[in-house]
Amino acid sequence: MTDLEVERLSVRLRDATRDEHERTESSPFVTALMDGRLDRQAYAALLQQSYLFYSVLEEAGERWRGDPVVGPFVSDALVRGPALEADLAWLCGPRWRSALAPLPATQRYVDRLRAVCFSSRSAFVAHHYTRYLGDLSGGQIIRSKLRTIYGLTGDGVRFYLFDDIAKPKVFKDDYRALIDTAPWDTGERTNLVAEANEAFRLNRGVFDDLGKALGVGWTGSCDR
Ligand code: HEM
């Protein structure tokens, strides 16, 4: 076995997505959110788009729940759908569902999830990893900004609260061990890394569309 083959896949994945991660976390929308230059309505717009792609990601999770290879990645503690529903109802009012409309990048993201995550185990884990490990990492930094800058502590930020994960670091280490020990073949390992980079690009597209929409005046709606 060569050195490359013994390298942990989770380490290769983190290294291979580092550049895309940096570009994503420094996108204008994310920077503006972190700097406190956005209002709650812009934050609600992010959650609206998130709801649309998490719905598909979590539907794919249900498809793989009992799978011997990727079923162990599917954890109830991660599921974000109900938290997003609660946040949107609180931020946008009871008619929040009628205001949902995908931005073009969100539609591309949702289409990609539908195209690959229901048939490919490695693609599913690539998208699952990109969102949930991100939510448990940078997401927690965003959560603290939402508290200090936007005054949101519980209602409105349930998306960032993982009540059933007491120690995110331990959870993330266990998750990386799952990535390392799953019986991937070479093609799947390659695909997982490539699709994770695609997942980052798709996420950045959503941030870019949100940034553009805000720049020209956001035309969606959120009642409150
Ligand atoms: C304000 C924006 C963000 C900041 C400040 C940030 C920061 C971080 C930090 C500090 C880590 C390392 C955590 C650790 O070692 O346990 C991390 C990991 C990660 N982030 Fe972000 N992040 C941001 C946005 C995002 C976004 C938008 C995504 C995906 C859409 C994302 C995906 C990830 C992933 C998948 C990891 C895990 C890397 C690994 O250990 O394999 N992050 N982030």
Side-chain angles (χ1 to χ4, degrees):
M1 213 179 239
T2 67
D3 285 346
L4 271 181
E5 280 168 327
V6 296
E7 183 192 24
R8 293 176 58 200
L9 181 56
S10 62
V11 174
R12 180 175 152 201
L13 185 57
R14 181 168 46 200
D15 290 350
T17 54
R18 198 179 305 277
D19 287 353
E20 288 295 347
H21 182 278
E22 270 177 35
R23 279 184 216 118
T24 306
E25 72 174 322
S26 55
S27 69
F29 180 87
V30 175
T31 310
L33 181 70
M34 300 291 278
D35 291 350
R37 284 182 278 119
L38 300 181
D39 58 17
R40 280 192 189 185
Q41 206 158 353
Y43 167 62
L46 170 63
L47 292 187
Q48 287 175 318
Q49 300 307 307
S50 302
Y51 182 74
L52 293 166
F53 57 77
Y54 271 89
S55 298
V56 184
L57 182 61
E58 295 187 346
E59 198 184 315
E62 290 312 309
R63 182 250 180 277
W64 293 112
R65 190 177 271 277
D67 185 77
V69 177
V70 297
F73 288 90
V74 180
S75 161
D76 287 340
L78 291 173
V79 170
R80 298 292 85 200
L84 281 165
E85 289 173 4
D87 288 341
L88 285 166
W90 189 79
L91 289 161
C92 300
R95 295 190 307 283
W96 64 271
R97 273 181 201 277
S98 61
L100 289 176
L103 290 164
T106 305
Q107 191 60 53
R108 282 196 298 278
Y109 191 0
V110 162
D111 289 346
R112 182 70 186 168
L113 291 170
R114 286 226 174 271
V116 298
C117 286
F118 292 79
S119 53
S120 161
R121 290 179 175 83
S122 53
F124 166 66
V125 170
H127 283 278
H128 193 270
Y129 158 83
T130 303
R131 279 307 327 183
Y132 294 114
L133 248 59
D135 297 335
L136 288 170
S137 307
Q140 298 309 298
I141 300 171
I142 295 174
R143 172 167 79 109
S144 94
K145 295 280 182 188
L146 289 167
R147 183 182 65 239
T148 53
I149 302 177
Y150 299 90
L152 297 166
T153 51
D155 289 329
V157 287
R158 308 231 172 261
F159 172 75
Y160 296 96
L161 303 174
F162 289 86
D163 293 338
D164 297 326
I165 299 181
K167 295 190 173 159
K169 183 183 177 323
V170 173
F171 189 96
K172 286 190 284 184
D173 286 346
D174 290 347
Y175 190 101
R176 291 187 191 104
L178 275 181
I179 291 177
D180 293 336
T181 54
W184 311 112
D185 63 27
T186 307
E188 287 173 318
R189 291 163 69 96
T190 304
N191 187 53
L192 205 163
V193 173
E195 191 64 29
N197 273 312
E198 181 63 16
F200 272 101
R201 285 190 288 274
L202 289 162
N203 274 278
R204 196 161 65 251
V206 175
F207 292 133
D208 287 348
D209 270 10
L210 280 164
K212 275 186 239 152
L214 288 165
V216 297
W218 184 58
T219 52
S221 67
C222 171
D223 288 350
R224 283 184 190 154

